[in-house]
Amino acid sequence: MTSPQLEWTLQTLLEQLNEDELKSFKSLLRALPLEDVLQKAPWSEVEEADGKKLAEILIHTSSENWIRSATVTVLEEMNLTELCKMAKSEMLEAGQVQEIDNPQLGDAEEDSELAKPEAGQVQEIDNPQLGDAEEDSELEKPGEKEGRRNSVQKQSLVWKNTFWQGDIDSFHDDVIQRNQRFIPFLNPRTPRKLTPYTTPYTVVLHGPAGVGKTTLAKKCMLDWTDCNLSPTVRYAFYLSCKELSRMGPCSFAELISKDWPELQDDIPSILAQAQRILFVVDGLDELKVPPGALIQDICGDWEQQKPVPVLLGSLLKRKMLPKATLLVTTRPRALRDLQLLVQQPIYIRVEGFLEEDRRAYFLRHFGDEDQAMRAFELMRSNAALFQLGSAPAVCWIVCTTLKLQMEKGEDPAPTCLTSTGLFLRFLCSQFPQGAQLRGALRALSLLAAQGLWAQMSVLHGEDLESAGVQESDLRLFLDRNILRQDGVAKGCYSFIHLSFQQFLTALFYALEKEEEEDRDGHAWDIGDVQKLLSEEERLKNPDLIQVGHFLFGLANEKRVKELEATFGCQMSPEIKQELLRCKASLHANKPLSMTDLKEVLCCLYESQEEELAKVVVAPLKKISINLTNTSEMMHCSFSLKHCRDLEKVSLQLAKGVFLENYVDFEPDIEFERCTYVTLPSWAQQDLRSLRLWTDFCSLFSSNSNLKFLEVKQSFLSDSSVRILCDHITRSTCHLQKVEIKNVTPDTAYRDFCLAFIGKRTLTHLTLEGHIEWERTMLLLLCDLLRNHKCNLQYLRLGGHCATSEQWVDFFYVLKANQSLRHLHLSASVLLDEGAKLLYKTMTHPKHFLQMLSLENCRLTEASCKDLAAVLVVSQQLTNLCLAKNPIGDTGVKFLCEGLSYPECKLQALVLQQCSITKRGCRYLSEALQEACSLTNLDLSLNQIARGLWILCQALENPNCNLKHLRLKTYETNLEIKKLLEEVKEKNPKLTIDCNASGATAPACCDFFC
């Protein structure tokens, strides 16, 4: 089993665990002897991971043998018998299976159906039906009197048309078995006895459109009724939600026998053996019902007349035929509603073509390896298009389009920049230029829009009639596989893939309306552009989101000309202005959220219209973006370079964008001698990511208004850090404020320090996270502060663990630096010994520090005695934060001794969570009444409720200069509130903040900044 296969297997197992079980799994896993890489990985990442993410972490940090053994061991300890059996059969045994050198990989499109093929006919790859047997598959009548068994077509006849050349049976096995082996009721190695207390299996196959869920479900029907696999007679019924959504009220018996009226007499005897029945509920997401309709009025009487949704809800809820086995297919959007219905479901994600499947498909389609790999790499360079390629239909579209371009000697690279460009080129390549098919294209796009707004993938004859479309209008598109007609129900049509239906829907909006369209009486339930792009409609119908992207793509002038030349149609002249109005309204009244910003940038990239991008992004001054893949990086690079007024960028990069530091590879690989094609796949992916990252980073060296960069919670790599630093060091980069927080690898901080040395524009620098405070890092930081070009005024270091000798060197450099005014050493292991070295520096007459934060530096009361001397001597220090240090009342006493001196200039003091009690309040009260310089005091999260009475005596004293007091005690009562209100009345210039704590509170060191 290769790593991708093992990861897929592990993901499938872990996704069966509920939240509590997953927590137990992680806890038991941690108790095992962990391998080195996993042992060093941050366990917080493991604790936050869901099933899929946990599988990724284990794959990248542990050996395959350890994963197999550990998974089985933990599942056994958790007493999860069924999953343990599955793990043993699929992981332990699979580890002994020899890999197939040239597998016949792939899945059929979702809507593929089992069908009777014409004798011996296999369609060649040049004219594929995309692996789809037609929707009109003719399952033999279940329960016929000769043995009452489904006489369904055997495995080798499942596909009516195939897009593969070669051995159909072996290809079919490879496609199906990858998913089917996890379906327990078909797996002989995971037997389960049905008892009165056992719930029969409910298996849910979920995944995006076109990845083979229906094909897999129908293959399961074949195996369920196979005489060789079961000694007893078994029955299977196929319930298509696409068709059932159009049916009126009926009984459950009528529902399952509607296509075979001759079975009416057999239905009672079949239903009486429910434990032998498999019901396939296909396409639950296409059942058009209001929310909650499936759980209302459920019944168990299969002869009672009910609406179809009620009957299906009763079946899924196991009120109807509770002993039957259920297999449900759905797209992800219906999973939440399904969870309210089914009991103890087993979820299996159907992923369609994996990367190796897509590569194999391209090689088969092109024949020429060089052409195939070039086309494959072009598709992979567009992450959005590559993701769509998990559907075989999309792979066929890409291959067909690029192969035709290569045969004509054209460069296919521009075509793959966007999905719109690819789909438009495919559509135009199917017809000669000047074909004058304006009416036919308009009819097709109208049907696409009508179906998408109604959330239908299958259109019937009445849908054509309501839209005023004739069947003759569609013939050209049927002949070219853009539209497909059901072989049995001749009046039913479906599009080649959901994504192409979305493209055609966008075309409906982009095409200029014909005059007669405004006069006809057809009722179209299709929203306008504003409704299409509205958040409300997209929440109700997520398929509209991609339509908006395609619509922006069709605003491109070159594409408009290509479409007009081929079909003779005119594009709407108002559409670009309408798109501008809709997107401009997003940030008219409020800042763009991260989700909205990603949506805007994606749409602008899809358009490839730079003038359009300039207009839309012009108002942006601050952005916050979380880059999770290379597509988002491309989108940012395309538009943000036109954002001339941009001042601040807050950036996050998810794990997986860069792979260099997170993938194991053979140490003896000499990359200098490798060509691009011979590099490992992860290295090829990394090279693409780094090229895009270089383009993105040019933003920082080309925009003179960009002053603030924040990089946080990011998984970088050595190469990506060097690229960013290269742009930071350029003279055209004018960054003034840089914050680097919690990034990996740890060595990144060292590279950033090197980049900042001599950076004259830099005034604020924050470095927080797990920083390797080794000698090189220390020397670089000292060089930064010592450099004659250094204008740094604010330095914040967090998460440091340095030795006393290292602190000596650092604090010595502070004496020579004349620009630094604010120093924050938060969450650093400073200790009293290190603090004493700092205080010695601050007593130097040339020190210029005005604000000092030593939050959570493990200081004690002893440190405060030395600090008190600094308060007396220093003429510069005005703000001091000692939050989260257990200095106690004695420490407060020492500080108050320093505050009592007239030479003390301290104005703001933060003592949040410092173990202060009533006695400490007495010392503070005395100091405040002596007219000390303090104007701001934070005593939050200390046990001082009883000390408030003492403190309030000082607050009422006219000698008290305090203007702002922050309190948040663990003890609150009406008496305390009354006391504080009286203080406010007597001292109106004083502000008392009693709620400044928790998630909404500002950081304690920001109290005085």
Side-chain angles (χ1 to χ4, degrees):
M1 181 183 288
T2 64
S3 288
Q5 291 173 312
L6 177 61
E7 182 174 3
W8 186 86
T9 303
L10 187 59
Q11 283 179 14
T12 304
L13 288 167
L14 295 182
E15 285 178 345
Q16 310 303 321
L17 304 178
N18 60 36
E19 187 174 347
D20 291 336
E21 289 171 340
L22 189 59
K23 286 181 181 178
S24 299
F25 185 92
K26 295 172 184 176
S27 177
L28 292 170
L29 189 70
R30 192 172 190 179
L32 297 176
L34 304 180
E35 294 198 336
D36 288 344
V37 180
L38 180 59
Q39 203 167 21
K40 294 177 182 177
W43 196 257
S44 58
E45 187 180 332
V46 175
E47 290 176 342
E48 294 171 3
D50 57 13
K52 181 179 180 181
K53 187 68 177 178
L54 179 57
E56 291 176 2
I57 293 172
L58 294 176
I59 287 292
H60 290 123
T61 58
S62 307
S63 66
E64 293 188 7
N65 288 335
W66 187 90
I67 291 172
R68 292 190 183 101
S69 176
T71 302
V72 172
T73 300
V74 172
L75 291 175
E76 281 180 342
E77 288 190 41
M78 293 175 66
N79 293 320
L80 297 175
T81 310
E82 298 296 337
L83 283 181
C84 189
K85 289 179 181 177
M86 190 180 298
K88 287 179 178 179
S89 61
E90 299 303 332
M91 299 183 78
L92 297 184
E93 292 184 27
Q96 310 302 321
V97 177
Q98 186 177 356
E99 292 183 11
I100 302 173
D101 290 330
N102 187 22
Q104 307 289 318
L105 299 164
D107 269 329
E109 163 153 339
E110 174 178 327
D111 292 327
S112 62
E113 303 287 343
L114 299 173
K116 283 184 178 181
E118 296 174 15
Q121 289 190 355
V122 176
Q123 193 73 19
E124 293 296 325
I125 193 167
D126 292 331
N127 185 23
Q129 299 295 328
L130 308 171
D132 287 342
E134 307 267 348
E135 178 99 28
D136 49 343
S137 61
E138 190 175 317
L139 292 176
E140 295 274 346
K141 306 158 189 174
E144 282 198 334
K145 292 183 180 179
E146 312 82 90
R148 295 180 177 175
R149 182 186 301 274
N150 292 65
S151 166
V152 191
Q153 299 297 328
K154 291 297 180 184
Q155 174 175 319
S156 61
L157 303 180
V158 168
W159 309 91
K160 178 177 181 181
N161 297 296
T162 181
F163 49 90
W164 288 98
Q165 296 172 340
D167 186 348
I168 302 174
D169 287 339
S170 64
F171 162 62
H172 179 268
D173 288 342
D174 291 330
V175 169
I176 296 297
Q177 287 178 5
R178 185 168 57 212
N179 292 285
Q180 192 177 6
R181 64 188 181 192
F182 287 102
I183 298 178
F185 59 77
L186 295 178
N187 192 336
R189 293 177 300 208
T190 57
R192 180 168 75 163
K193 280 189 176 182
L194 286 180
T195 70
Y197 308 102
T198 306
T199 303
Y201 285 112
T202 300
V203 177
V204 179
L205 305 178
H206 63 97
V211 294
K213 299 186 295 293
T214 299
T215 299
L216 177 58
K218 294 216 167 180
K219 176 58 170 60
C220 291
M221 292 180 67
L222 289 174
D223 289 350
W224 177 268
T225 56
D226 193 327
C227 303
N228 297 320
L229 296 180
S230 173
T232 58
V233 178
R234 297 200 291 190
Y235 312 93
F237 292 92
Y238 176 73
L239 304 174
S240 170
C241 292
K242 299 174 187 176
E243 302 299 323
L244 299 182
S245 62
R246 293 175 172 265
M247 285 184 62
C250 62
S251 69
F252 190 77
E254 293 168 342
L255 181 71
I256 62 176
S257 62
K258 63 182 179 66
D259 295 327
W260 303 291
E262 63 273 19
L263 289 181
Q264 290 290 345
D265 296 338
D266 296 322
I267 289 296
S269 61
I270 292 174
L271 297 184
Q273 307 172 70
Q275 70 276 9
R276 298 184 180 183
I277 302 176
L278 169 66
F279 287 104
V280 173
V281 181
D282 189 28
L284 188 69
D285 54 290
E286 300 210 48
L287 191 66
K288 306 301 172 230
V289 294
L294 293 174
I295 57 175
Q296 293 179 357
D297 194 28
I298 60 175
C299 73
D301 186 354
W302 48 265
E303 294 182 322
Q304 188 176 353
Q305 296 271 328
K306 290 283 184 181
V308 169
V310 172
L311 296 176
L312 285 181
S314 302
L315 179 67
L316 295 172
K317 200 75 174 167
R318 294 202 174 276
K319 182 74 172 177
M320 183 86 69
L321 304 174
K323 295 183 179 180
T325 299
L326 305 179
L327 180 61
V328 183
T329 75
T330 182
R331 287 165 60 191
R333 67 187 181 195
L335 284 177
R336 181 175 298 179
D337 292 334
L338 187 61
Q339 288 172 355
L340 301 174
L341 287 167
V342 293
Q343 301 174 16
Q344 301 178 14
I346 295 175
Y347 291 99
I348 298 176
R349 187 174 65 254
V350 182
E351 294 186 331
F353 273 0
L354 303 178
E355 180 173 336
E356 55 265 34
D357 303 339
R358 279 165 260 191
R359 184 183 289 106
Y361 182 85
F362 273 65
L363 288 168
R364 289 293 189 95
H365 189 104
F366 279 87
D368 182 280
E369 183 176 356
D370 291 340
Q371 285 189 346
M373 293 315 299
R374 186 177 180 217
F376 177 75
E377 292 301 332
L378 284 173
M379 183 175 77
R380 192 161 65 171
S381 67
N382 183 335
L385 187 61
F386 193 64
Q387 185 176 7
L388 285 175
S390 63
V394 176
C395 276
W396 177 74
I397 291 174
V398 174
C399 287
T400 301
T401 306
L402 300 188
K403 186 176 183 181
L404 187 59
Q405 281 192 279
M406 290 179 182
E407 289 172 350
K408 292 181 178 179
E410 299 176 1
D411 181 10
T415 301
C416 286
L417 282 175
T418 66
S419 301
T420 308
L422 189 284
F423 283 176
L424 182 64
R425 176 55 62 94
F426 167 74
L427 180 64
C428 292
S429 69
Q430 301 299 303
F431 302 94
Q433 284 204 353
Q436 297 299 317
L437 298 172
R438 180 175 55 192
L441 184 62
R442 183 69 189 172
L444 183 69
S445 65
L446 171 60
L447 281 181
Q450 184 172 284
L452 204 70
W453 276 95
Q455 300 187 49
M456 296 188 305
S457 62
V458 176
L459 298 166
H460 296 72
E462 53 265 35
D463 299 317
L464 272 64
E465 185 178 345
S466 68
V469 175
Q470 303 296 320
E471 289 193 21
S472 57
D473 296 332
L474 307 177
R475 177 48 52 193
L476 289 170
F477 303 106
L478 287 165
D479 292 343
R480 288 162 175 80
N481 299 314
I482 294 170
L483 198 66
R484 299 178 301 157
Q485 186 174 22
D486 191 298
V488 175
K490 296 294 183 184
C492 294
Y493 302 87
S494 61
F495 291 91
I496 187 173
H497 187 259
L498 171 65
S499 58
F500 205 77
Q501 183 180 359
Q502 292 167 323
F503 168 75
L504 292 170
T505 301
L507 200 57
F508 168 80
Y509 288 97
L511 291 173
E512 188 173 22
K513 287 186 177 180
E514 305 288 344
E515 292 183 7
E516 59 270 18
E517 287 184 19
D518 295 326
R519 299 195 301 267
D520 66 27
H522 299 295
W524 303 341
D525 188 16
I526 301 175
D528 58 15
V529 172
Q530 188 173 358
K531 191 175 182 181
L532 169 71
L533 299 178
S534 71
E535 186 176 355
E536 180 183 359
E537 291 299 326
R538 290 170 170 220
L539 287 172
K540 292 190 290 187
N541 185 356
D543 291 340
L544 296 176
I545 296 175
Q546 187 60 44
V547 178
H549 299 174
F550 283 132
L551 189 53
F552 269 85
L554 291 170
N556 181 281
E557 295 294 337
K558 291 182 180 178
R559 294 169 187 164
V560 167
K561 291 178 182 178
E562 184 177 3
L563 199 63
E564 290 176 350
T566 303
F567 292 96
C569 53
Q570 297 293 317
M571 303 297 281
S572 170
E574 297 88 15
I575 190 64
K576 189 176 290 188
Q577 291 303 317
E578 200 165 355
L579 292 175
L580 275 174
R581 283 195 299 272
C582 290
K583 287 304 175 190
S585 65
L586 278 174
H587 47 80
N589 302 317
K590 60 178 182 178
L592 277 175
S593 68
M594 190 180 295
T595 302
D596 288 339
L597 177 62
K598 283 187 177 183
E599 173 69 10
V600 169
L601 296 179
C602 178
C603 289
L604 293 175
Y605 177 81
E606 197 69 25
S607 75
Q608 291 294 297
E609 281 281 345
E610 298 204 358
E611 292 302 317
L612 182 64
K614 288 179 183 178
V615 175
V616 174
V617 302
L620 295 177
K621 293 184 181 298
K622 300 178 182 180
I623 65 164
S624 179
I625 193 82
N626 181 9
L627 299 178
T628 60
N629 54 54
T630 53
S631 283
E632 293 174 353
M633 205 183 297
M634 281 195 302
H635 303 162
C636 288
S637 301
F638 177 79
S639 296
L640 294 183
K641 63 186 177 185
H642 301 299
C643 194
R644 305 315 306 171
D645 293 329
L646 189 63
E647 298 173 356
K648 177 183 177 181
V649 174
S650 181
L651 186 62
Q652 285 182 258
L653 287 105
K655 190 171 185 178
V657 176
F658 303 113
L659 301 176
E660 177 184 353
N661 291 72
Y662 310 101
V663 176
D664 293 329
F665 61 92
E666 295 297 330
D668 57 344
I669 293 179
E670 297 185 32
F671 288 102
E672 295 80 3
R673 299 184 181 180
C674 291
T675 64
Y676 179 81
V677 175
T678 59
L679 284 174
S681 60
W682 69 265
Q684 295 179 26
Q685 182 179 334
D686 224 29
L687 283 175
R688 286 191 299 273
S689 299
L690 291 173
R691 291 192 193 105
L692 294 170
W693 177 244
T694 302
D695 192 27
F696 176 81
C697 289
S698 65
L699 174 69
F700 304 112
S701 58
S702 62
N703 189 335
S704 59
N705 290 316
L706 189 55
K707 309 297 184 186
F708 187 176
L709 169 63
E710 179 187 33
V711 184
K712 60 182 181 181
Q713 317 296 335
S714 294
F715 292 87
L716 300 169
S717 66
D718 293 335
S719 298
S720 61
V721 170
R722 285 193 290 270
I723 290 170
L724 176 56
C725 289
D726 173 61
H727 285 274
I728 290 175
T729 57
R730 297 183 186 185
S731 59
T732 51
C733 173
H734 296 87
L735 287 173
Q736 296 176 0
K737 187 174 182 178
V738 177
E739 295 182 357
I740 311 295
K741 302 177 181 178
N742 300 309
V743 302
T744 58
D746 297 339
T747 53
Y749 295 94
R750 184 180 57 202
D751 292 331
F752 282 119
C753 273
L754 183 61
F756 297 142
I757 295 175
K759 191 70 182 175
R760 193 183 296 274
T761 61
L762 188 68
T763 59
H764 287 65
L765 176 61
T766 296
L767 299 173
E768 288 185 339
H770 181 65
I771 301 175
E772 289 187 358
W773 194 266
E774 36 86 24
R775 183 164 180 79
T776 305
M777 173 70 183
L778 174 65
L779 291 174
L780 290 172
L781 195 56
C782 291
D783 287 346
L784 169 64
L785 294 170
R786 190 187 294 116
N787 190 280
H788 69 280
K789 294 181 181 179
C790 178
N791 287 320
L792 202 62
Q793 300 172 19
Y794 178 104
L795 177 61
R796 181 170 186 154
L797 304 174
H800 298 271
C801 183
T803 65
S804 298
E805 292 76 13
Q806 290 170 337
W807 285 124
V808 169
D809 294 338
F810 177 71
F811 295 142
Y812 178 78
V813 172
L814 290 183
K815 292 181 182 180
N817 182 281
Q818 298 183 8
S819 64
L820 196 64
R821 298 293 182 269
H822 301 190
L823 177 62
H824 297 254
L825 299 177
S826 305
S828 297
V829 185
L830 186 63
L831 304 177
D832 293 345
E833 186 178 359
K836 190 171 184 177
L837 298 171
L838 172 60
Y839 302 153
K840 185 177 180 180
T841 299
M842 294 178 67
T843 58
H844 193 277
K846 290 187 176 181
H847 99 84
F848 296 94
L849 283 182
Q850 297 173 358
M851 298 184 180
L852 175 65
S853 174
L854 302 177
E855 178 186 344
N856 193 22
C857 286
R858 306 187 189 180
L859 307 182
T860 68
E861 58 190 42
S863 175
C864 295
K865 189 171 184 178
D866 298 316
L867 182 55
V870 176
L871 298 182
V872 177
V873 175
S874 174
Q875 297 297 301
Q876 304 293 332
L877 189 63
T878 58
N879 299 62
L880 176 64
C881 175
L882 297 174
K884 301 178 184 176
N885 289 295
I887 63 174
D889 295 330
T890 304
V892 173
K893 179 183 177 181
F894 290 138
L895 292 176
C896 289
E897 289 175 359
L899 288 170
S900 64
Y901 281 80
E903 294 83 2
C904 178
K905 305 298 182 184
L906 197 67
Q907 297 174 11
L909 177 61
V910 178
L911 298 175
Q912 185 184 113
Q913 203 170 339
C914 286
S915 305
I916 301 171
T917 65
K918 176 181 175 181
R919 191 155 59 97
C921 289
R922 180 174 292 110
Y923 300 134
L924 288 168
S925 178
E926 292 171 357
L928 291 173
Q929 293 183 70
E930 292 177 4
C932 73
S933 57
L934 272 187
T935 58
N936 295 270
L937 178 62
D938 183 354
L939 295 173
S940 301
L941 302 178
N942 288 291
Q943 300 280 3
I944 60 169
R946 295 182 180 180
L948 283 178
W949 276 269
I950 301 172
L951 192 61
C952 286
Q953 293 175 9
L955 300 179
E956 295 172 1
N957 191 305
N959 291 330
C960 179
N961 293 317
L962 207 62
K963 295 179 180 178
H964 189 180
L965 174 64
R966 180 189 284 180
L967 292 172
K968 177 65 178 181
T969 65
Y970 295 104
E971 307 165 22
T972 57
N973 54 48
L974 294 176
E975 197 171 352
I976 291 176
K977 290 180 180 179
K978 184 179 179 182
L979 178 65
L980 295 177
E981 289 172 1
E982 290 176 356
V983 171
K984 288 180 182 180
E985 290 178 5
K986 295 179 181 179
N987 188 354
K989 68 178 182 179
L990 178 65
T991 300
I992 301 178
D993 185 357
C994 294
N995 298 308
S997 187
T1000 61
C1004 49
C1005 60
D1006 294 333
F1007 178 62
F1008 51 79
C1009 294

